[in-house]
Amino acid sequence: RADVCIQALDMFQSIFTALPTLQSQLSSPLVSGLMEVVAREPALIHALCATLLAHKDPTMKLPHFQQQPPKEDFTISNAYGPPLLLVAERCGKYPNTYSAALHFLYRITVLSTGMDNSASETIWNTMMHHTLSEEDAGVDEDGKPLSSLAATLCAKFLLTLHENTLTPHKKSADYQDFITITSPLIRHNLLEALKANLDMEDEYSQSLLVAMQVPGICLKIWDNPHLRTLAFEIISMMVGNSSSSSNNLVRIFVESKTTLSSLFQMLATAPPPEPNQGEEQSDIRAVVAHILGSLAETGLLTQAVERFGLKSAAISGLASACLTTSNTAATNTETKNDDELATSATLSSRCMECLVDLLKGGGDVETTYITKADAEVIANSLGK
């Protein structure tokens, strides 16, 4: 069985080694024939998906994001069946069968989004268990919605890309394609499917967002104009639910040091939206300021900043955002209407409130004493 697994994956990879670029693959009858074969083998597609889910965590457990009080972990549905056999021997140019399987899954997923034929559609729908929308959602043998499994697959795929597990070597022939074409293309489709399959009221989906670092991933890919709208929509979904009285989802943004750090970086560096660009150019800084403000109101912001040692980064980001917002509003006063000026003022005041809360250590005191180190960070930020 191990020999068969290695030989099959090695054979698949040899095709893509001979045709490294996306253009050569899309125009190849051999690749087209391979996609037809794969489309007729749902068991293979499901095994590849199961291998992705089991990668780095064969327990198939999803930690509950609420740890106080501790809650039982979720079990990821086994509707895909068992993963491929892990053989710790070289499989072509990859160190083991799991690595080879993940790269093969990546290739067929890219092609299924790039090719306009029935085989491509079948492969993608098989991966998603035909649950591209809530209306089509079925359930597994345990009664769990398959839409949750589809969301899990998308989130794990995005995390695997985020961790550079699938990134080719810079000197390889397909590196440029990966950076400019295939990676953005597959991320777009994964984000779209993730958004369609998430249930933001469900604790499983909330825990999935934390475990798979989805907030941080959305912030990280914000610089890509082709992914920005979807990233913004997913973040907005989280923020929208965070306004509930329980404030469940707002905690998602302080569960990871990387995510919290990205919030401060985004606040300081994100450019203001271009005038007259409509909804798609929504100001991400306003969303980030809202998130941080909600965290400050619940006392979570100061706790998380101290826990992760991010006080300097937090003060720098908030101070820079106050300055940037003020400068932008002053520069564009003649071209902005009253609503836009009010938004800038609200954003600036929101950032200032968070900054004061951090300097006070989250406490309710009338007098705030600023340490020398904090004062230097503020001075450096405002002096830029």
Side-chain angles (χ1 to χ4, degrees):
R1 186 183 172 195
D3 289 343
V4 172
C5 183
I6 291 176
Q7 290 172 7
L9 289 171
D10 191 26
M11 178 187 68
F12 293 147
Q13 293 299 335
S14 65
I15 295 175
F16 297 114
T17 300
L19 301 165
T21 65
L22 180 61
Q23 182 178 0
S24 63
Q25 293 165 16
L26 292 174
S27 60
S28 169
L30 181 60
V31 171
S32 180
L34 173 62
M35 293 292 285
E36 293 283 352
V37 172
V38 172
R40 293 195 295 267
E41 298 293 340
L44 171 61
I45 299 170
H46 284 170
L48 290 169
C49 293
T51 302
L52 174 63
L53 293 178
H55 179 59
K56 293 186 178 181
D57 187 13
T59 65
M60 300 287 280
K61 294 290 185 181
L62 188 71
H64 198 292
F65 86 99
Q66 287 185 322
Q67 296 300 320
Q68 298 297 330
K71 292 193 176 183
E72 186 177 351
D73 292 347
F74 294 100
T75 299
I76 298 174
S77 172
N78 63 355
Y80 283 125
L84 293 175
L85 187 65
L86 173 59
V87 183
E89 298 179 9
R90 290 203 67 82
C91 182
K93 61 181 180 180
Y94 302 109
N96 53 56
T97 52
Y98 266 27
S99 180
L102 294 185
H103 282 83
F104 180 56
L105 177 62
Y106 175 79
R107 287 292 184 181
I108 64 172
T109 306
V110 168
L111 291 169
S112 71
T113 58
M115 286 181 166
D116 186 16
N117 55 40
S118 59
S120 301
E121 184 177 357
T122 298
I123 291 173
W124 179 254
N125 287 340
T126 303
M127 290 174 60
M128 296 294 112
H129 263 295
H130 303 282
T131 55
L132 295 178
S133 66
E134 188 175 344
E135 290 76 14
D136 299 327
V139 295
D140 64 13
E141 59 185 16
D142 297 322
K144 299 176 183 176
L146 290 176
S147 57
S148 295
L149 181 58
T152 305
L153 180 74
C154 294
K156 184 62 179 285
F157 216 142
L158 287 165
L159 178 61
T160 304
L161 288 164
H162 178 68
E163 293 175 336
N164 295 318
T165 302
L166 299 170
T167 305
H169 192 276
K170 288 186 177 182
K171 294 183 178 179
S172 64
D174 58 342
Y175 177 76
Q176 198 59 38
D177 267 3
F178 179 89
I179 297 298
T180 59
I181 304 175
T182 63
S183 178
L185 176 66
I186 195 172
R187 280 184 166 100
H188 184 279
N189 280 25
L190 290 171
L191 285 168
E192 201 169 49
L194 175 63
K195 179 190 169 192
N197 286 289
L198 277 175
D199 178 3
M200 303 304 286
E201 300 291 341
D202 178 53
E203 291 188 354
Y204 179 94
S205 288
Q206 296 169 15
S207 300
L208 177 67
L209 294 172
V210 174
M212 302 301 175
Q213 304 175 33
V214 174
I217 290 173
C218 288
L219 291 169
K220 186 72 174 179
I221 63 178
W222 184 262
D223 289 339
N224 190 313
H226 302 295
L227 304 176
R228 184 175 298 160
T229 298
L230 278 170
F232 181 85
E233 290 173 353
I234 292 176
I235 291 175
S236 297
M237 287 169 63
M238 302 178 207
V239 175
N241 274 43
S242 293
S243 61
S244 63
S245 58
S246 60
N247 281 305
N248 277 339
L249 279 185
V250 77
R251 300 183 64 94
I252 287 176
F253 296 91
V254 294
E255 295 295 331
S256 163
K257 179 178 181 179
T258 302
T259 298
L260 186 58
S261 179
S262 295
L263 284 175
F264 295 125
Q265 183 180 6
M266 179 70 70
L267 193 62
T269 61
E274 298 179 12
N276 304 319
Q277 291 298 310
E279 293 289 333
E280 292 187 0
Q281 291 293 326
S282 299
D283 191 352
I284 185 63
R285 297 173 309 155
V287 176
V288 172
H290 174 78
I291 294 169
L292 294 174
S294 298
L295 290 169
E297 290 172 2
T298 58
L300 293 172
L301 180 61
T302 300
Q303 295 173 16
V305 166
E306 292 177 352
R307 183 169 75 250
F308 294 130
L310 290 173
K311 191 173 184 181
S312 293
I315 293 174
S316 177
L318 289 165
S320 297
C322 291
L323 180 65
T324 302
T325 304
S326 299
N327 287 344
T328 302
T331 302
N332 299 327
T333 299
E334 295 183 0
T335 60
K336 285 190 171 187
N337 58 38
D338 291 341
D339 290 339
E340 290 173 320
L341 288 173
T343 300
S344 294
T346 302
L347 173 57
S348 182
S349 62
R350 194 78 165 173
C351 293
M352 185 60 70
E353 290 170 1
C354 293
L355 180 59
V356 172
D357 185 74
L358 279 177
L359 294 173
K360 290 165 56 176
D364 187 14
V365 295
E366 294 183 1
T367 305
T368 302
Y369 296 94
I370 303 177
T371 66
K372 180 181 178 181
D374 293 345
E376 289 177 350
V377 173
I378 294 174
N380 289 334
S381 299
L382 296 179
K384 290 180 180 177

